[in-house]
């Protein structure tokens, strides 16, 4: 009860703010002038003002190729040269000094002086009718080689983890922008009113370097931010009723709170009040829906074995299986993060032939199973899977202060890395983009992070230049002022 009283007093205090004065106690001109500085709380460009439910399903700009997205981010940036970008010429230079043209005018996160070139640790072979080059670090992925679409000349603007992750997921290396998942549910709403439209599952022992901002809502109403679920215990903290509180009492409490919220919204027209109403109602519905969907023990044993999933275990394999269950239940955007791919070579855990190889074994089976499972269920053609990190890895072995490290590793590299996709609207078994003989620069069909974002939105039915939100006096979009759809990979 004390908490409710405090919330009421806080709401009353808000009526004394300058925002309330400008909106209700003037002719309205003050609010019109000041509205964009207050996060788009007034004006026709904000659809939340006209919808009682901000997550109500909406129509995209044109017919979409996919209904939902599963974005798998390997936080720390896996080495493309050990997995997908086959460079036999690099083997010939293994152990030799790096050419000066690769060093002059370049900045690296850690490399100093003249490093040695490093040939790939993995052994490559061709797979499928497409002849996709995949290394033996990923023994399961070749089973779905002909379902994959590779972008092998990706590049970015950032070589440090947090800014690069922000750029990859929000379109900007600085804090404050909405994530691609938030943009997706802002534009499309949700088909399941009992589950969040955007759900996040993290594994690997830590969150991404950029923190929760990579699935945040930025300046969009907070109803669109990702909801992080756990695979052990309560899927969402406090989703269970408190001891001594029945479902009926909880329902009556929420109805009373939301009645007050609705009256306040009618008075001040702040879209964040709609968010608050929706979140209270969603939280109540989630008490029944989330535990049901997140219970992988209900899956047949052969399905769990295919993923390598163990019910109740907080693992990447469990998260991949949960991703399939979530999109099967109408969740629009599922984001998987797996931490630990920062293979510098400073110790065994961060070495390419040690910890990196272990991570490949942990994730390869589950990613392959996810693609096969979706395909068996007829869901792959309406789902987009994206796999990748925030940047690439150098063809040189990392050194520190001019000294070669004791284990094999590579530094951060922004000029070349690989992303693969699978699902609807794509040319299957295709490789787009090419790097030079040593895997240093993209030399053909280069694609920027903003191009990837534009393509994802296009497959969901959006013109990335028109999916905007008014903030601070101008319309913002995910791709900022850049980006182009990668049309050659579209079917």
């Amino acid at each position: 009860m004390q908490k409710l009283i405090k919330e009421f007093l806080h709401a009353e205090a808000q009526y004394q703010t300058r925002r309330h004065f400008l909106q209700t106690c003037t002719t309205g001109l003050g609010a019109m002038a000041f509205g964009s500085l207050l996060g788009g709380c007034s004006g026709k460009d904000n659809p939340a003002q006209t919808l009682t439910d901000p997550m109500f399903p909406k129509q995209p700009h044109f017919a979409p190729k996919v209904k939902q997205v599963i974005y798998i981010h390997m936080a720390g940036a896996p080495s493309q040269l050990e997995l997908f970008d086959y460079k036999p010429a690099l083997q010939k230079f293994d152990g030799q000094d790096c050419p000066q043209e690769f060093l002059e005018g370049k900045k690296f996160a850690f490399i100093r002086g003249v490093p040695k070139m490093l040939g790939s640790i993995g052994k490559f072979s061709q797979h499928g009718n497409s002849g996709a080059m995949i290394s033996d670090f990923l023994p399961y992925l070749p089973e779905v080689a002909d379902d994959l679409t590779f972008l092998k000349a990706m590049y970015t603007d950032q070589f440090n983890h947090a800014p690069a992750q922000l750029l990859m997921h929000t379109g900007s290396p600085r804090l404050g922008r909405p994530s691609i998942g938030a943009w997706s549910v802002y534009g499309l709403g949700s088909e399941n009113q009992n589950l969040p439209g955007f759900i996040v599952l993290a594994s690997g022992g830590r969150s991404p370097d950029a923190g929760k901002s990579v699935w945040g809502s930025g300046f969009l109403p907070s109803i669109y931010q990702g909801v992080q679920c756990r695979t052990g215990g309560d899927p969402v903290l406090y989703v269970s009723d408190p001891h001594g509180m029945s479902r009926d009492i909880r329902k009556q409490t929420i109805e009373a709170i939301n009645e007050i919220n609705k009256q306040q919204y009618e008075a001040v027209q702040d879209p964040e009040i709609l968010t608050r109403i929706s979140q209270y109602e969603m939280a109540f519905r989630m008490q029944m829906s989330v535990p049901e969907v997140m219970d992988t023990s209900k899956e047949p044993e052969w399905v769990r074995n295919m993923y390598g999933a163990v019910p109740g275990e907080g693992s990447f394999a469990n998260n991949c299986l949960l991703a399939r269950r979530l999109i099967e239940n109408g969740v629009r955007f599922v984001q998987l993060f797996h931490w630990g791919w920062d293979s510098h070579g400073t110790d065994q855990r961060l070495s390419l032939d040690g910890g990196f190889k272990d991570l490949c074994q942990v994730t390869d089976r589950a990613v392959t199973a996810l693609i096969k499972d979706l395909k068996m269920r007829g869901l792959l053609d309406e789902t987009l899977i994206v796999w990748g990190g925030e940047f690439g890895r150098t063809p040189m072995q990392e050194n520190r202060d001019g000294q070669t490290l004791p284990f094999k590793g590579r530094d951060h590299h922004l000029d070349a890395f690989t992303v693969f996709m699978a699902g609807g609207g794509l040319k299957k078994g295709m490789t787009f983009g090419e790097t030079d003989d040593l895997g240093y620069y993209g030399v053909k069909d280069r694609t920027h992070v903003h191009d990837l974002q534009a393509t994802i939105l296009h497959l969901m039915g959006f013109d990335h230049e028109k999916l905007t939100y008014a903030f601070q006096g101008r319309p913002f979009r995910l791709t900022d002022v850049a980006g182009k759809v990668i049309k050659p990979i579209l079917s």
Side-chain angles (χ1 to χ4, degrees), residues 9 13 41 77 108 123 133 137-138 140 216 238 247 259 304 329 335 342 346-347 357 385 387 406 414 433 439 458 467:
L9 293 174
C41 292
F108 300 96
K123 295 180 180 179
M133 298 299 296
F137 277 28
L138 302 172
Y140 288 94
Y238 312 116
R247 291 281 294 170
E259 182 58 38
R304 297 198 304 269
N329 282 272
Q335 183 88 61
D342 198 17
T346 50
D347 56 36
K357 192 171 184 179
I385 296 175
W387 182 102
L414 53 80
H458 176 85
L467 182 63

Side-chain angles (χ1 to χ4, degrees), residues 64 83 213 324:
L83 301 180
S213 295
R324 191 221 79 207

Side-chain angles (χ1 to χ4, degrees), residues 49 52 180 210 379 404 478:
Q49 291 190 21
T52 57
I180 186 170
L379 291 171
T404 302
L478 171 64

Side-chain angles (χ1 to χ4, degrees), residues 69-143:
V69 174
I70 301 173
Y71 196 128
I72 304 170
H73 184 93
M74 301 303 184
S79 170
Q80 75 283 3
L81 294 166
E82 266 59 56
L83 301 180
F84 307 114
D85 206 9
Y86 176 55
K87 296 299 171 186
L90 185 59
Q91 302 298 124
K92 300 177 183 178
F93 290 92
D94 184 58
Q96 297 184 26
D97 287 349
C98 177
Q100 280 299 316
E101 60 263 30
F102 287 176
L103 303 174
E104 292 175 355
K106 294 291 182 180
K107 291 183 179 180
F108 300 96
F110 295 100
I111 284 177
R112 302 293 183 269
V114 180
K116 303 291 186 182
M117 301 303 290
L118 177 62
S120 175
I121 310 298
K123 295 180 180 179
F124 284 81
S125 55
Q126 290 184 295
H127 298 278
N129 295 327
S130 62
M133 298 299 296
I134 302 175
S135 89
D136 61 352
F137 277 28
L138 302 172
Y140 288 94
L141 197 64
E143 298 175 16

Side-chain angles (χ1 to χ4, degrees), residues 296-342:
T296 59
S297 67
K298 297 183 178 181
E299 291 286 334
E301 185 177 359
W302 70 268
V303 172
R304 297 198 304 269
N305 289 340
M306 181 170 66
Y307 284 86
V310 178
E313 189 178 84
S315 67
F316 179 79
N318 258 22
N319 288 353
C320 283
L321 178 52
L322 286 170
R324 191 221 79 207
R325 290 175 63 85
L326 289 167
I327 65 106
E328 211 171 20
N329 282 272
V331 175
R332 184 74 68 186
F333 204 102
V334 180
Q335 183 88 61
L336 305 186
F337 288 96
H338 190 69
W339 180 85
W341 295 84
D342 198 17

Side-chain angles (χ1 to χ4, degrees), residues 7 10-12 14-15 17 19-20 23-24 40-41 46 48-49 51-54 220-223 254 257-281 469:
E7 185 173 335
H10 176 71
E12 281 294 299
Q14 287 182 322
Y15 280 101
T17 63
R19 175 186 293 185
H20 178 68
Q23 287 181 327
T24 61
C41 292
N46 194 337
Q49 291 190 21
L51 293 173
T52 57
D53 181 4
L220 292 176
S222 55
I223 188 68
I254 291 175
I257 293 170
N258 277 348
E259 182 58 38
I260 297 171
N261 285 332
K262 288 173 185 177
Q263 293 176 15
Q264 187 181 23
Y265 174 72
E266 291 173 359
V268 301
Q269 299 289 296
D270 186 339
E272 281 300 307
I273 300 173
L274 290 179
T275 293
R276 191 186 310 159
I277 293 170
S278 296
Q279 286 175 333
Y280 271 119
E281 293 174 347
Y469 188 86

Side-chain angles (χ1 to χ4, degrees), residues 57 67-69 184-185 188-191 196-197 330-334 460:
K67 294 181 179 179
Q68 55 268 327
V69 174
S184 299
V185 292
L188 290 173
S190 177
E191 292 184 346
V331 175
R332 184 74 68 186
F333 204 102
V334 180
M460 298 187 79

Side-chain angles (χ1 to χ4, degrees), residues 148-269:
L148 305 180
T149 304
F150 289 96
L151 301 175
K152 288 195 176 179
M154 285 289 299
Y155 68 101
T156 181
D157 306 331
Q158 304 294 320
F159 61 66
N160 286 321
H161 294 292
Q165 290 168 3
L166 285 169
L167 179 63
M168 179 64 74
H169 295 287
T170 74
S172 170
R174 290 169 290 279
L175 296 168
R177 297 289 184 87
S179 61
I180 186 170
W183 279 112
S184 299
V185 292
Y186 162 68
L188 290 173
S190 177
E191 292 184 346
N192 187 333
Q193 300 304 300
N194 295 323
L195 290 169
F198 177 18
I199 288 181
V200 179
L201 301 167
S203 55
R206 278 180 51 182
S207 295
D209 299 80
K212 297 183 179 181
S213 295
V214 289
W215 61 80
S217 57
F219 47 69
L220 292 176
S222 55
I223 188 68
Y224 301 118
Q225 69 185 349
V227 174
Q228 185 177 5
C229 290
R230 306 185 305 162
T231 51
D234 278 350
V236 180
L237 291 176
Y238 312 116
V239 73
S240 301
D241 286 323
H243 180 70
M245 176 174 281
S246 68
R247 291 281 294 170
D248 287 341
I249 294 175
R250 171 65 70 93
K251 183 178 180 180
Q252 292 171 14
T253 302
I254 291 175
E255 287 176 346
I257 293 170
N258 277 348
E259 182 58 38
I260 297 171
N261 285 332
K262 288 173 185 177
Q263 293 176 15
Q264 187 181 23
Y265 174 72
E266 291 173 359
V268 301
Q269 299 289 296

